[in-house]
Amino acid sequence: MSHTPDVIAKHGLTRDEYARICGHLGRDPNLLELGIFSVLWSEHCSYKSSRKYLKQFPTTGPRVLVGPGENAGVVDIGDGLAACFKMESHNHHSYIEPYQGAATGVGGILRDVFTMGARPIANMDSLRFGDPKHPKTKWLLEGVVAGIGGYGNCIGVPTVAGDVAFDESYDGNCLVNAFTLGVLPADKIFKGTASGVGNPIVYVGSKTGRDGIHGATMASAEFDEKSDEKRPTVQVGDPFTEKLLLEACLEIFKTDALVGIQDMGAAGLTSSSIEMAGRAGSGIDLHLDRVPRREEGMTPYEVMLSESQERMVIVAKRGREREVLDIFHKWDLDAVVIGTVTDSGRVRLYDAGQVVADMPVKPLTDAAPVYDRPTARPKDLDALQAFDPLTLPAPKDLGEALLSLLARPSIASKEWVFTQYDHMVRLGGVLLPGRGDAAVVRVECSKKGLALKSDCNARFVYLDPYEGARLALAEVTRNVSCVGGEPLGLTDCLNFGNPEKPEIMWQFAEATRGLAAACRELEVPVVSGNVSLYNETDGKAILPTPMLATVGLVPDVEKCCGAAFRKEGDRVALLGATKGVLGGSEWLKAFHGKMAGLPPRLDAPAELSLQRTVRALIRDGALASAHDLSEGGLAVALAECCMMDPDRRFGARVRFDAAGVALHAFLFGEDASRVLVSFAPDSEQKVEAACRSAGVPFQVVGSVGGPELAIEGVLKLPVETLSRAYRSGIPSVLGG
């Protein structure tokens, strides 16, 4: 049957794409086949606008065991163990229904990791919301944080790190990027493949309902004033069932009964089964009437496209299916053989013995469209970059300016957020939220730890996508290095607007080019990731936000380093050069309402030397604290070091040589490749010698002690006053 233009458009397909589908089939698709093509060819599943650019990422390295293309990436951490991690977006879902959107985002990324054979040991989230004064921001913030906490706390995986920022560009599209880290034996990694003719295909987990149908298609389109009508495309999660599913999967991994396993994520049974066949070059026959259902009268279309949560597809070894079924039944989960692997190269779907769909696998997966969309540099970018922030007046009271910056929700303490998460479950936390530049979790039965952090300064990316992406990687790896971790690999969520607009596509092309360059320069391979496009409402796009998350290896958790000053009398030093760059800074936005100027330039060799030096000093026990300089610059970093440990707060007495840099630019500039450190007086020679040997600029700027932060000739503020400002930011968004 031929479909009307309206039906084709409602499936998110163009007329040309529909014609290509007819060409692959040699006929018009029926409605079920059309639905299957539409989700697998959606932006969310096929990466048809971005695939061209993702090929430039470095994805291999001495520690990489599994790179992009599987459910999650895996890196070797030694002693026969590996770390498995992935970050994914649940942006559109969370904007429509914040609690369930965020909760199911957490559930989905957990499944991506434990399907690889790993036990999850830590979660992390990266969140972006609109203007703090926007009427919807409070509702979204409360709902998203509650959803993340509700799911993670119930399943018993600690949420230990993340970041939260606010900007009016996210008024119509919040970002919810969820990350999970797991550990597994390096020689027992499971993949999503459907191989072995005659092997049974087993459905396990929860029953299938009508929730989430066409969620992948919804996540591949702009929003408009009718977005709230899309609530039925948001799934509903059940963390208690997920916990059972996790334990059942970990038990089955101890056997040798599995050939492949995949989470039913976006596009549900459709993507999981067909992608597994695509990877193996096989075919599959599925009997949809065998699929466990929680609602009556479901059609084959609804069964295949449902995105009900807590479900998996398993390919078992022929003759071992009873063993698989028994394990899942023991955990009180549905488990049913629903099909068979074939050598046909086709997807054949049956309902009550009748063939309801018959399609070749390859066009659905490997032959999905790949677009080379037009790009165009935004016309106003030259003028924005040419703006000189130093032409604007400096603050009259630098102390009041510092307090104002500390109270900005994007800079302020995220205590309100992370205290709603159970970060102590499993007792693996070594460096907990708010205490360091990255979280550190212990690897069980080992002295090793894993450091994890996510971040992205979207203003820098907006003003210079190439340089902004390089700066984002430098910052997130610097965060990991500041706790003593050696970056092992990167996962990303590339959040952008409508790729059909040449200016947005140019942002994406430049940002991915910059990220690829920085990964090579800083020696960090990309092992997994996600692309989220069409983050746009009524024609207004979000700031380009390539969210990055890095995992680093800490050889000895007893030697990891926090950000807070530790002891009265310790020296305070600034590592790295300060030029006072205010382009794209929080200062410029806070006091002049502008997002303009050029962001800092990244000197990659200098960044690499700085990070290596800091790591070596931490592992040598020479540093008491280390904190990178980012949003708000030196003054904000100093204040944070005074108060980040609520149990032991120390002031500091500081003086410095601004070396011809305007005072407010020296204090609030956001130059890259800088770290504020403290150390015992008898370690000064060792620290200085290490910096000199590595070519890292080193300047002692003061000492720890007293009840206030005193910058000679500039400001003097009690730590308690700093703390009140710092802890007021998020409550102010909530009206408290």
Side-chain angles (χ1 to χ4, degrees):
M1 60 175 288
S2 181
H3 297 283
T4 66
D6 183 55
V7 169
I8 295 167
K10 283 182 178 178
H11 280 79
L13 294 164
T14 66
R15 295 301 300 272
D16 178 65
E17 287 171 342
Y18 182 76
R20 291 175 67 170
I21 292 168
C22 295
H24 287 305
L25 294 178
R27 56 177 171 80
D28 288 300
N30 62 36
L31 188 63
L32 172 57
E33 293 166 335
L34 183 68
I36 289 172
F37 267 102
S38 77
V39 291
L40 288 178
W41 282 17
S42 70
E43 197 71 61
H44 190 79
C45 291
S46 74
Y47 296 158
K48 57 190 174 186
S49 298
S50 60
R51 198 183 307 178
K52 166 189 172 182
Y53 299 98
L54 303 181
K55 293 178 181 177
Q56 64 192 312
F57 291 159
T59 59
T60 59
R63 289 186 178 270
V64 177
L65 299 177
V66 178
E70 280 294 339
N71 288 307
V74 183
V75 295
D76 193 344
I77 61 173
D79 298 326
L81 295 175
C84 176
F85 55 95
K86 174 84 176 290
M87 181 162 63
E88 276 214 351
S89 60
H90 237 221
N91 304 335
H92 292 69
H93 307 75
S94 299
Y95 184 78
I96 295 170
E97 213 301 302
Y99 184 96
Q100 289 297 347
T104 53
V106 173
I109 199 64
L110 281 163
R111 291 193 299 279
D112 279 343
V113 167
F114 72 73
T115 54
M116 300 294 293
R119 178 175 286 280
I121 63 170
N123 286 336
M124 176 166 66
D125 56 77
S126 295
L127 313 176
R128 294 293 181 269
F129 299 102
D131 186 330
K133 297 177 182 175
H134 189 278
K136 207 165 183 176
T137 298
K138 174 179 182 290
W139 177 70
L140 289 169
L141 174 62
E142 289 179 330
V144 164
V145 170
I148 292 168
Y151 206 101
N153 295 353
C154 289
I155 197 172
V157 178
T159 301
V160 299
D163 69 305
V164 186
F166 299 80
D167 185 89
E168 60 269 22
S169 76
Y170 305 107
D171 283 350
N173 290 85
C174 64
L175 301 185
V176 176
N177 294 173
F179 168 102
T180 293
L181 168 67
V183 174
L184 72 163
D187 63 351
K188 204 160 188 183
I189 299 169
F190 291 87
K191 298 182 179 181
T193 182
S195 59
V197 174
N199 281 334
I201 298 170
V202 186
Y203 171 115
V204 301
S206 292
K207 289 180 169 61
T208 294
R210 290 189 171 95
D211 46 328
I213 293 174
H214 270 297
T217 309
M218 179 269 292
S220 306
E222 283 188 43
F223 277 169
D224 54 30
E225 70 279 357
K226 296 182 179 180
S227 294
D228 283 346
E229 296 175 8
K230 297 178 179 178
R231 278 181 191 275
T233 62
V234 179
Q235 313 95 318
V236 177
D238 179 356
F240 300 105
T241 298
E242 178 115 337
K243 174 64 172 172
L244 299 176
L245 187 59
L246 163 62
E247 298 300 338
C249 285
L250 292 176
E251 182 173 340
I252 205 77
F253 294 147
K254 294 176 182 177
T255 75
D256 65 346
L258 294 193
V259 173
I261 179 170
Q262 181 145 327
D263 162 44
M264 287 193 222
L269 181 56
T270 289
S271 64
S272 54
S273 59
I274 296 173
E275 286 174 3
M276 290 175 80
R279 291 191 191 106
S282 64
I284 53 172
D285 288 353
L286 299 181
H287 298 269
L288 302 185
D289 47 312
R290 300 178 189 173
V291 172
R293 308 176 191 191
R294 67 167 185 263
E295 298 181 49
E296 293 183 3
M298 291 185 70
T299 64
Y301 183 101
E302 292 171 323
V303 170
M304 285 299 292
L305 271 64
S306 167
E307 293 186 9
S308 294
Q309 296 292 285
E310 294 86 38
R311 302 180 302 156
M312 300 277 198
V313 171
I314 285 175
V315 175
K317 292 180 179 177
R318 184 163 44 177
R320 303 290 295 279
E321 50 265 55
R322 175 46 55 192
E323 185 178 345
V324 173
L325 297 175
D326 286 347
I327 288 175
F328 283 94
H329 289 156
K330 184 186 81 171
W331 287 96
D332 201 23
L333 294 164
D334 280 291
V336 181
V337 175
I338 62 167
T340 310
V341 177
T342 71
D343 60 1
S344 67
R346 302 185 70 81
V347 181
R348 289 188 294 240
L349 305 179
Y350 297 84
D351 186 50
Q354 300 297 311
V355 176
V356 291
D358 187 350
M359 302 164 288
V361 171
K362 192 172 179 61
L364 287 162
T365 54
D366 298 346
V370 176
Y371 292 124
D372 185 5
R373 296 193 184 278
T375 63
R377 180 183 171 91
K379 294 183 176 64
D380 61 347
L381 194 56
D382 287 340
L384 284 173
Q385 291 183 345
F387 179 79
D388 182 3
L390 289 174
T391 60
L392 297 172
K396 293 180 180 178
D397 187 329
L398 293 172
E400 284 300 315
L402 173 57
L403 292 174
S404 295
L405 284 174
L406 289 172
R408 297 269 295 173
S410 291
I411 287 179
S413 168
K414 306 307 184 291
E415 186 177 12
W416 179 86
V417 176
F418 64 70
T419 53
Q420 297 188 55
Y421 304 153
D422 187 344
H423 47 262
M424 294 300 292
V425 66
R426 296 186 60 81
L427 300 176
V430 178
L431 200 57
L432 298 175
R435 302 297 180 94
D437 283 11
V440 178
V441 291
R442 188 185 302 273
V443 177
E444 211 168 85
C445 302
S446 169
K447 68 176 184 177
K448 293 179 180 180
L450 293 169
L452 54 154
K453 184 66 172 73
S454 61
D455 212 337
C456 176
N457 186 324
R459 282 202 292 270
F460 286 174
V461 184
Y462 177 79
L463 292 169
D464 186 337
Y466 176 85
E467 200 64 42
R470 292 177 73 231
L471 289 164
L473 181 66
E475 181 177 351
V476 77
T477 53
R478 194 184 318 127
N479 290 149
V480 165
S481 292
C482 279
V483 300
E486 177 189 356
L488 300 180
L490 177 76
T491 184
D492 59 58
C493 266
L494 306 179
N495 307 278
F496 288 78
N498 185 344
E500 297 168 44
K501 296 182 177 178
E503 293 80 9
I504 299 296
M505 205 63 234
W506 179 84
Q507 289 177 340
F508 187 90
E510 284 296 287
T512 50
R513 184 171 72 90
L515 179 56
C519 285
R520 290 186 173 89
E521 292 164 332
L522 300 181
E523 302 172 3
V524 184
V526 178
V527 300
S528 60
N530 171 239
V531 177
S532 175
L533 302 177
Y534 294 96
N535 291 288
E536 193 159 324
T537 296
D538 294 329
K540 183 180 179 182
I542 63 165
L543 292 179
T545 313
M547 194 68 69
L548 308 180
T550 297
V551 172
L553 179 64
V554 178
D556 185 350
V557 293
E558 298 301 322
K559 293 183 178 179
C560 69
C561 194
F565 293 143
R566 308 305 302 165
K567 189 177 180 183
E568 191 104 13
D570 279 355
R571 300 283 191 265
V572 178
L574 177 61
L575 311 187
T578 298
K579 298 176 182 177
V581 178
L582 289 168
S585 66
E586 193 76 21
W587 173 83
L588 185 60
K589 182 71 172 178
F591 296 106
H592 298 282
K594 287 184 174 291
M595 182 171 56
L598 275 171
R601 305 290 93 181
L602 177 67
D603 181 337
E607 178 72 41
L608 203 54
S609 292
L610 172 71
Q611 291 192 32
R612 286 172 173 167
T613 302
V614 170
R615 289 198 302 267
L617 287 167
I618 290 171
R619 292 172 186 182
D620 198 30
L623 299 184
S625 69
H627 186 27
D628 96 299
L629 275 63
S630 53
E631 286 88 347
L634 174 60
V636 165
L638 279 165
E640 288 174 335
C641 289
C642 291
M643 59 188 178
M644 284 182 79
D645 185 344
D647 301 322
R648 291 192 295 177
R649 293 176 180 163
F650 294 96
R653 297 173 295 276
V654 178
R655 58 176 299 181
F656 45 74
D657 178 8
V661 177
L663 186 57
H664 71 292
F666 194 91
L667 283 174
F668 304 126
E670 297 180 5
D671 307 70
S673 310
R674 296 183 299 162
V675 175
L676 196 66
V677 299
S678 67
F679 45 82
D682 59 8
S683 293
E684 183 172 338
Q685 274 190 317
K686 179 188 288 187
V687 176
E688 184 176 6
C691 291
R692 190 187 307 116
S693 174
V696 174
F698 171 87
Q699 180 185 0
V700 174
V701 296
S703 60
V704 177
E708 57 196 14
L709 172 61
I711 302 177
E712 187 176 283
V714 179
L715 59 84
K716 188 180 288 186
L717 291 166
V719 174
E720 187 56 42
T721 302
L722 297 171
S723 181
R724 277 200 303 272
Y726 189 58
R727 286 170 169 76
S728 70
I730 299 295
S732 72
V733 179
L734 303 169

